[in-house]
Amino acid sequence: MVANPHLLSLSEQARLIREGSLTAVELVQSHIDQISKLNPRLNSLIAVDSEGALKEAAEVDTARERGEKLGPLAGVTLGVKDAVPVKGMAWTINSRLFEDRAPDDDAPSIARLKEAGAIVIGKANLNEFFSKPTEADLNPPPWNPWNPERMSVGSSSGSGAALAARMSSGTIGVDGGGSVRLPAGAHNLYGIKPTHGLVSRIGVGRSEHSEICPLGITALDTAMMLEAMVGHEPADDLSWPGEIPAYTANIEADVASWRIGVPRAFIDSTPNEPEVMEGFEKFLNKLKELGCEIVDIEIQGMAEARAATFLTLFSNSYQRHQKTVKTDWDTYGDQSRVNLLQGAFLSSTDLINAGDVGRAFKKYFSNLLKEHKLKGIATPTSPFATAERSRRRGEHSRGVNACYTAPFNISGHPSISVPAGFGEAGIPVGAMLTGELHDDLSLLQLAHAYDQATNWNTLTPEI
Amino acid sequence: MEYRTDEQVIARARQIAPLSDEDLKPLLTLVNGVREYCDLMESLMPELGGEIDVTKMSRNMDGDA
């Protein structure tokens, strides 16, 4: 029997289950115990299916005993952001409008994870309709396990908090402007926003630049989940029909001599907190130790691309809610309902302008990588070390917390947040790598090399 | 973006949702930000037949330099 299996990485758990050293039932029970112990305090998960998870785990164990071939994720558990439908489980988007809703089908990305053997143990808390959290939300915001006096950064806040507290093997979030990479950074986790179209967006509505993404304790965990999620979905008109390389089989790479660009002038123009920059410089030093060549570059259009991303998000959001804000205004949270109206003030020309700017930035950024022969660029994940700072009036409305992340939603480039240390409040800070379209593998390889050379994934919150 | 004044924003807001007076203040702040974004986008639009000139895009976080 393996002691405290919930503390192991997803890849270790999956290996031990395949080998028979750990049963899926033991792992699920370990996660259930952790949820029972910590979730009442942290509020990371807003629905838990212990019975269903144990039943599925028993089926995995029976299949192994019969000598059947197990999927790569057989027996590991997932917490899924409650914006993504999981058959038979709550699907509230943390709104009273959907308090009693449960979907009939899984989102295709979830179906693929289940096909690989993963067990969904619960739905993770989030900001109502990806907006600004308040205590009056259907489920109050989760607390960060690294400092339970502080709120978790969102909008995939529960996905970050649940995994940091080891309530599941991995988690799934949705990133429309940074909502996976930001919580990954703030919870000492790896979180990748894949190239647009690799993972079907079916299930999260018409948010054209929002991606369903995995968060993992290690880079390898993240790669394993992503590998299970990707693939062409004919029903999704934005789904990528081309070939996708195997991530986990190719995760080991010699990254020596890889060129990584650092947009210093842009980074210096943002209100980075000192501990963010301290973590970022250590991250760059570690890349240098791995043999990477760090190159100063100039980047343009980050502010414009961020604006284009948010205008598109505002429009998508209002379009979906245009009828219910009229009829059910008082059922919405008082923060999200006002935020949802922003898109109502845009003209069709404004939206087309934003699309054109996004396409221009997409082309420009790919050319920038090519021109400088870069595998990617490195930035902090967020300028801020706490959720409170990122939600400060004025800065939140300008999307300052997403100044590094949001440009790459409209451009569609892959982007991964990796752990980079801790701030004064004990909250983790992240660093981010962004690479060429459809070269997600290089980012995963680089993150994996960094993961192997650091000890962030061995640290757990003392709670 | 055609909503340039608080009065225009409030009139539009009253058309689309039953906002309270308390809702209006944060909405006006948000719409100011949306307007800045829209103006930024518009400033980049090329003359007829042209393409967006990325070299005119900003180098900083605020988009003003």
Side-chain angles (χ1 to χ4, degrees):
Chain A
M1 175 146 180
V2 177
N4 297 319
H6 61 278
L7 296 178
L8 300 172
S9 68
L10 175 149
S11 60
E12 277 293 288
Q13 292 164 349
R15 183 179 62 80
L16 292 172
I17 288 170
R18 273 196 305 277
E19 290 174 359
S21 314
L22 172 69
T23 67
V25 167
E26 287 168 347
L27 177 62
V28 167
Q29 189 59 56
S30 182
H31 281 136
I32 291 170
D33 293 346
Q34 192 73 349
I35 292 166
S36 303
K37 184 177 148 195
L38 295 180
N39 202 47
R41 183 172 177 194
L42 296 174
N43 208 25
S44 309
L45 299 175
I46 58 181
V48 178
D49 182 13
S50 302
E51 195 179 322
L54 283 168
K55 184 168 174 283
E56 287 178 48
E59 288 168 4
V60 169
D61 292 335
T62 301
R64 196 198 66 78
E65 285 162 11
R66 285 183 185 149
E68 294 174 18
K69 190 174 186 301
L70 300 182
L73 300 178
V76 304
T77 69
L78 298 177
V80 176
K81 184 175 186 175
D82 195 30
V84 184
V86 176
K87 186 177 178 180
M89 296 184 79
W91 186 22
T92 69
I93 320 182
N94 202 11
S95 173
R96 289 183 175 80
L97 282 167
F98 296 135
E99 200 167 354
D100 300 316
R101 183 173 69 159
D104 294 330
D105 295 303
D106 293 318
S109 56
I110 299 300
R112 287 170 181 267
L113 285 160
K114 287 183 174 178
E115 185 65 29
I119 296 168
V120 178
I121 198 167
K123 298 301 290 289
N125 204 345
L126 71 162
N127 304 351
E128 183 184 16
F129 295 122
F130 316 102
S131 184
K132 196 174 168 184
T134 74
E135 290 291 332
D137 287 348
L138 173 62
N139 297 281
W143 302 101
N144 193 317
W146 291 99
N147 180 346
E149 305 295 314
R150 303 296 184 102
M151 279 186 193
S152 282
V153 166
S155 65
S156 304
S157 44
S159 301
L163 185 55
R166 304 302 193 258
M167 294 182 194
S168 60
S169 312
T171 52
I172 303 300
V174 181
D175 190 315
S179 288
V180 159
R181 289 162 289 164
L182 293 168
H187 292 89
N188 193 46
L189 301 170
Y190 292 79
I192 186 166
K193 181 192 77 66
T195 296
H196 183 58
L198 289 187
V199 175
S200 169
R201 74 205 156 107
I202 291 177
V204 291
R206 297 172 61 83
S207 297
E208 290 170 15
H209 305 290
S210 295
E211 312 292 347
I212 303 176
C213 314
L215 295 95
I217 294 167
T218 69
L220 177 58
D221 292 358
T222 312
M224 288 175 69
M225 286 182 276
L226 182 60
E227 188 163 80
M229 296 164 75
V230 298
H232 184 231
E233 289 288 343
D236 183 345
D237 60 341
L238 296 178
S239 180
W240 168 251
E243 283 193 25
I244 301 168
Y247 299 137
T248 53
N250 297 302
I251 195 91
E252 302 284 349
D254 180 3
V255 301
S257 80
W258 283 18
R259 286 166 59 85
I260 307 297
V262 179
R264 281 283 174 197
F266 178 77
I267 291 170
D268 291 344
S269 76
T270 70
N272 300 299
E273 291 184 307
E275 52 261 64
V276 168
M277 288 312 293
E278 191 183 320
F280 181 62
E281 298 303 337
K282 284 182 182 168
F283 164 70
L284 292 181
N285 285 335
K286 190 56 75 177
L287 294 185
K288 283 181 196 165
E289 285 174 30
L290 290 167
C292 294
E293 189 181 346
I294 306 299
V295 186
D296 273 5
I297 58 160
E298 185 174 66
I299 194 167
Q300 292 183 251
M302 290 284 278
E304 289 84 346
R306 178 178 98 236
T309 290
F310 279 113
L311 290 177
T312 309
L313 278 175
F314 297 157
S315 181
N316 287 164
S317 298
Y318 177 67
Q319 187 271 340
R320 266 179 280 169
H321 290 269
Q322 59 185 308
K323 289 193 174 172
T324 36
V325 291
K326 280 184 195 293
T327 56
D328 297 278
W329 182 251
D330 291 329
T331 314
Y332 285 91
D334 57 3
Q335 291 281 346
S336 67
R337 66 187 183 188
V338 175
N339 282 356
L340 287 169
L341 297 186
Q342 292 176 89
F345 297 88
L346 298 171
S347 68
S348 54
T349 305
D350 294 324
L351 197 57
I352 293 169
N353 287 351
D356 279 357
V357 169
R359 277 185 288 279
F361 180 76
K362 175 182 181 177
K363 186 176 171 189
Y364 159 78
F365 185 71
S366 285
N367 284 340
L368 183 77
L369 294 174
K370 194 173 174 184
E371 181 189 330
H372 292 277
K373 298 183 172 58
L374 302 174
K375 277 289 187 180
I377 68 160
T379 62
T381 305
S382 165
F384 306 131
T386 63
E388 284 73 12
R389 175 70 199 275
S390 70
R391 290 181 192 132
R392 222 160 59 165
R393 191 173 288 279
E395 287 183 338
H396 184 269
S397 62
R398 291 188 299 134
V400 176
N401 64 324
C403 66
Y404 297 118
T405 52
F408 302 108
N409 285 87
I410 195 142
S411 79
H413 290 85
S415 189
I416 188 167
S417 180
V418 305
F422 291 80
E424 268 183 29
I427 305 287
V429 296
M432 199 173 82
L433 293 160
T434 304
E436 177 56 308
L437 297 164
H438 296 288
D439 191 17
D440 306 61
L441 177 59
S442 289
L443 292 188
L444 290 164
Q445 289 170 328
L446 191 53
H448 178 66
Y450 171 77
D451 192 10
Q452 300 287 92
T454 56
N455 70 343
W456 301 123
N457 71 46
T458 65
L459 306 178
T460 51
E462 290 179 9
I463 178 171
Chain B
M1 184 190 188
E2 61 185 281
Y3 305 97
R4 311 305 301 186
T5 67
D6 286 357
E7 290 71 26
Q8 289 171 332
V9 172
I10 290 168
R12 168 69 171 150
R14 297 281 191 213
Q15 284 176 347
I16 58 174
L19 294 92
S20 69
D21 289 344
E22 282 181 10
D23 293 323
L24 288 174
K25 190 176 173 187
L27 179 68
L28 289 169
T29 304
L30 291 172
V31 175
N32 282 339
V34 174
R35 189 184 302 114
E36 283 176 24
Y37 281 167
C38 289
D39 290 348
L40 184 59
M41 298 295 102
E42 192 177 334
S43 71
L44 295 165
M45 291 304 114
E47 296 295 327
L48 184 63
E51 289 192 13
I52 291 174
D53 184 355
V54 180
T55 64
K56 288 184 180 166
M57 286 195 187
S58 70
R59 292 171 165 80
N60 71 356
M61 191 207 69
D62 289 323
D64 57 5

